[in-house]
Amino acid sequence: MTINHHDTGYKELFSYPEFVQQLIEGFAPDELAALMDFSTLKNHSGNYITPLFEEKFEDVVWSVSVTWEGVTQEVFLYILLEFQSTVDRSIPIRLMHYVACFYDHLLKQKATTFSQGLPPILPIVLYNGSKSWTTPPDIYDMITPEPPGFLQVYQPRLRYYLVDEGRYTDEQLGLVRTPLSGVFSVENAGESWEALQQAVDRIVAIIQADPNKERIDRIVTRWIKRHLQRLGAEVNLGQLNSLVEDKDMLAENLVNLVKKERLEGRLEGFAGLLRMQLAFKFGDLPSWVDTKLATATDEQLGEWGTQMLTASSLDELFKG
C-alpha cells in the first residue's frame, strides 16, 4: 500500500500533548519518560523549508522540562514523521540538516543566544512503512571505511530514536492501552477489513475508558476518516462523526467490505478456473475473453461454465 506521507493525519495527532506523552511513555525507553514533566509540554511546530531539502516535510517539535540530578532544563523533542513506502537512506543527513536549521531558527527568534548555549534535542523518527528499517541510526555509521582513531573525534555524530510501528506485534500493542497504540494497531491491520474491524473495536474500548473520551474520540475519529480514505474504503465517511457513537454503523460497513472482499476473491478464483478449462478446450485465448471473465458476475460465470461443455467455439459460448 502506497502512503502519501504528507496526508497521514499524524501531524494533527501530535499537535495534541497527550499523544506526544503517549509516544514517549509507550514507545521510548522508560528512563526518558521518568525524567520528563509532561505538564510542561509546549508546541513549537512549524514547517521548516531548508535550502538542501526544499520540500515541506511532516514534523512536530515540542519542548518539555527534564530534571536530571537535581537540575531542570528544557529539552526539545524533534519528531520526524517518515511515512514513505520505501526506507529513506538519507534520513541521517536530513536530520543533521534539519537540526542545524532548527538551532539557527531558535537563534534568529532569540529563543536562545550563543552565550546561553543551545538546548539539547531528542530526534525521533516515527516510521510506518512495510519494509524493514535499514537506515543507520547515526550519521557517523554512514562514514566508510571507519576513519582511524585520530580522525574519529572530528566526524559528525547525530543519533536518532526510531519508533517503527510495524515491529510491534498485536500482543505488544495490547499491553500499551493508549489511543496512540490503538492507532498503531489500525495502521498495522493494513488492508484486511477483518483485522481493521478488530483494531477499531480495540481503539473504541480504549477511548471509552479514557477520562477525556469526548476529546480523544473527536481527535481519533478525524484520523480514522483520513485513514479509511487512504485505503479507499467504500464507507459513508460523512456520517462518521464519532467512533464511539457510530461504531455500529462503521462495523456494518466494514462487515460489508469483508463480504465484498471474499466475493471478489471467490469470483477471481472461479474465473481463473474457467479460463484454464477454456484454454484446455479451445487453445490460446484472445484478450477479449480475459476481459469478459474479469468483468463477469457470479451468475454469468456459472452459465458459461455449464454451456462450455456443449459449445463448439468461443464465439458460440460468449456471443451465442
Side-chain angles (χ1 to χ4, degrees), residues 262-303:
R262 288 177 174 171
L263 176 61
E264 289 176 347
R266 185 166 61 86
L267 291 178
E268 183 179 347
F270 191 11
L273 178 61
L274 181 56
R275 190 189 189 285
M276 291 175 59
Q277 293 173 330
L278 291 173
F280 181 77
K281 181 172 182 177
F282 298 109
D284 292 338
L285 302 177
S287 58
W288 61 264
V289 171
D290 288 326
T291 301
K292 279 189 168 292
L293 292 176
T295 58
T297 65
D298 192 10
E299 184 179 0
Q300 286 176 316
L301 290 172
E303 290 178 357

Side-chain angles (χ1 to χ4, degrees), residues 85 97 222 248:
S85 57
H97 192 65
R222 286 197 295 269
D248 292 337

Side-chain angles (χ1 to χ4, degrees), residues 26-53:
F27 301 96
D30 293 339
E31 57 268 25
L32 284 177
L35 299 175
M36 295 181 179
D37 179 0
F38 292 106
S39 68
T40 66
L41 277 169
K42 183 179 178 182
N43 196 336
H44 301 267
S45 298
N47 281 118
Y48 304 99
I49 304 176
T50 66
L52 183 59
F53 301 98

Side-chain angles (χ1 to χ4, degrees), residues 8-9 12-13 15-16 215-230 240-243:
T8 63
E12 182 188 354
L13 281 184
S15 68
Y16 298 98
R215 169 184 165 88
I216 298 299
D217 186 22
R218 288 195 302 270
I219 295 170
V220 175
T221 298
R222 286 197 295 269
W223 180 85
I224 283 283
K225 291 173 73 168
R226 275 186 175 143
H227 182 70
L228 292 175
Q229 285 175 334
R230 295 202 313 275
L240 181 60
N241 299 309
S242 164
L243 274 183

Side-chain angles (χ1 to χ4, degrees), residues 65-77:
S65 293
V66 172
T67 301
W68 173 252
E69 294 184 349
V71 177
T72 299
Q73 64 182 129
E74 189 176 51
V75 172
F76 283 88
L77 307 175

Side-chain angles (χ1 to χ4, degrees), residues 1-10 58 81-87 126-131 165-166 183-184 186-191 223 226-232:
M1 175 175 58
T2 301
I3 295 176
N4 178 358
H5 68 295
H6 293 298
D7 189 29
T8 63
Y10 271 74
E58 281 197 292
L81 308 175
E82 187 60 21
F83 292 163
Q84 302 188 83
S85 57
T86 57
V87 177
L126 180 58
Y127 172 69
N128 77 341
S130 57
K131 295 186 178 180
E165 291 182 28
V183 165
F184 287 0
V186 171
E187 284 276 13
N188 288 347
E191 296 180 350
W223 180 85
R226 275 186 175 143
H227 182 70
L228 292 175
Q229 285 175 334
R230 295 202 313 275
L231 292 180

